[in-house]
Structure formats: structure tokens, C-alpha cells
Amino acid sequence: MTPARVALGLALAVLASCAKEPVSPPASTGAAPSALPPPLPTSPAPTSPAPTSPPPASRPPPAFGFPCGSDSDPQCIYGRCVGGRCGGCAQAAECKPSATCMPSPVGMSCWPSHGGGTTTPTTSPAATTPPPVAPPMTPPAGPAADPFAVARQLCVDRTNAYRARARLAPLQRDAASEPCVDGQARADAATNKPHGTFSRCGERAQNTCPGYPGRTPEEVVTSCLQNMFDEGPGCGHHDNMMNTKYTGVACGFFPARAGALWVVQDLR
């Protein structure tokens, strides 16, 4: 063998020893590659709670007031007729010019301004065309026109419920005398003198609730008659309600001011 062939053979041997063995891919097992876990949600950095201001001073809710048809109704002395009721208020605009919206034991209600003061006027832009003035509302005829219709019947029913406890005959409602008894309540309220018109309507006995507060006429009747009955035997109001000599009863009403009511009960 010639030296040239020996050298060529040595070179080929060196190249063969430097070749890398190919890497075979892993055998497939048939299983799907595992998915990466989803990233964790990033929580926002904690923040300090915003400082809270102290709650505003509580304001009493509006008083319930009295049923009405217009501002000229006799029970709407200081309040305007808003939403079918007057007396209670949420703002001064719901009271008449001579009155203001003030807290009372039964809620916010319209009261006369003292010392000739008036509520602070608000300035509104001048209207180019005066708005049309609606005619005053006329209450419908019949029992529906009476804002105290429910309270009148309650006055009779509550009295008879107390009489039933003693097995006494019920009193009959004397509806014909109720307008007269309304006048007694109005006159007594004007003089602030209970029983000042006693016997004017032909009654034999009389109970009076002078200027009782309440959210509704029905609440006033319930509270006042309960107090009278609780006086017990030997006291005038209780004995008038339970007297077996009387067979009829008529109840009259007059709203002296917002949230206060005069109630006169005539027995005959």
C-alpha cells in the first residue's frame, strides 16, 4: 500500500469518529401533551378605603295630614293641597305664604310663621306667557266629599266595641246630626274651650278630644277613645260611652291646625 493511500485512510477514520449520532424523537404513547396551567389572576394592589363623612342629621318625615280637594278646604289652614292631602310637608313650597314647614311631634308639617316672618322667597325666571289657571276643584257630592267619612264610622264602631265588652246594646249612628256636631267642634276649637257649645245639637251627653295630635283622623279617634275608656267606671268619659240610657251617637270633626284635630262625640 502506498503512503498516499495510508494517509487517506487515516483521514476518513478521523471524520467518522467526529460524526454525531442522530437523536431519535421519543416514541409516541398516544397521550395528548399536557397543557400548561392557566396563569393566576393578578390581584389589584390593596387600597385604603375612602374616608366616609358623618351622616347628615336626620329629618322627620312629612306628617300624614288631612284629605283635601283644594287649598280652600277648611282643613287646609296652613298647608297647600298637594296630592289630595294638606298639612304635612317636605319643603316650604307645600305650605301657604303665611306658614312655614317645621318639625312637629307627628312629622314635618305647616305652621304659621311667628313674628310676621315669611319663608325665604326663591327667584324664578320671568314667564313670557302666564300659565293657564285651572278652576278650583269641586268635591263630588255625596259621602265621598266628606274627608272624615271613615273616621265618623270608626268613632261609632270603636264605641260599640267597648260597649260589647259589657254586653251592652250598640249605639246607632246619628248621621243627620253630624253637620251640627261639626259646627260644635269648629266653635270649641275657635275658643279653645271644650264643651263650650254643649246641648246645641240636642245631645244628652258629650265627650271631646280637644286638639289631639295624630297622623290621620282615624289614628286620633282610636287614641282618644282608648284613653276615655281606660279611665274606668266612675269617670265621666267612660260612663258616657257605657251608659245604657243612650241609644244614638254622632261624631263631629274640625282640623284646628296641621296634625291636630278636635273631635266631639254627642250621645243621645
Side-chain angles (χ1 to χ4, degrees), residues 113-215:
S113 300
H114 296 291
T118 58
T119 56
T120 303
T122 57
T123 303
S124 58
T128 56
T129 303
V133 179
M137 183 181 298
T138 303
D146 183 5
F148 302 107
V150 176
R152 293 186 201 279
Q153 187 60 49
L154 180 64
C155 183
V156 178
D157 293 342
R158 294 286 294 181
T159 301
N160 284 334
Y162 293 132
R163 290 173 65 90
R165 297 184 185 183
R167 300 181 182 278
L168 302 180
L171 300 174
Q172 298 299 315
R173 177 177 173 179
D174 183 7
S177 298
E178 289 170 352
C180 181
V181 187
D182 282 348
Q184 288 180 305
R186 184 183 301 106
D188 288 355
T191 60
N192 199 30
K193 183 181 178 182
H195 311 299
T197 55
F198 175 69
S199 77
R200 177 184 293 181
C201 299
E203 68 275 16
R204 299 171 62 188
Q206 185 182 81
N207 290 335
T208 300
C209 310
Y212 255 60
R215 292 173 297 179

Side-chain angles (χ1 to χ4, degrees), residues 59-66 68 70-71 75-102 107-111 119-120 122 258:
R59 178 185 177 93
F64 193 73
F66 302 103
C68 61
S70 68
D71 289 357
Q75 64 269 28
C76 301
I77 299 178
Y78 303 118
R80 298 183 183 278
C81 185
V82 179
R85 287 193 172 272
C86 64
C89 61
Q91 56 186 345
E94 297 175 6
C95 302
K96 293 185 177 179
S98 61
T100 185
C101 189
M102 299 174 58
M108 298 297 293
S109 54
C110 297
W111 293 83
T119 56
T120 303
T122 57

Side-chain angles (χ1 to χ4, degrees), residues 154-155 158-159 161-162 165 207 209 212 218-232 237-238 241 265:
L154 180 64
C155 183
R158 294 286 294 181
T159 301
Y162 293 132
R165 297 184 185 183
N207 290 335
C209 310
Y212 255 60
E218 295 76 24
E219 183 178 275
V220 172
V221 168
T222 300
S223 175
C224 182
L225 294 184
Q226 180 70 58
N227 291 338
M228 292 180 177
F229 181 78
D230 288 345
E231 290 175 1
H237 296 113
H238 175 278
M241 296 168 64
Q265 183 186 60

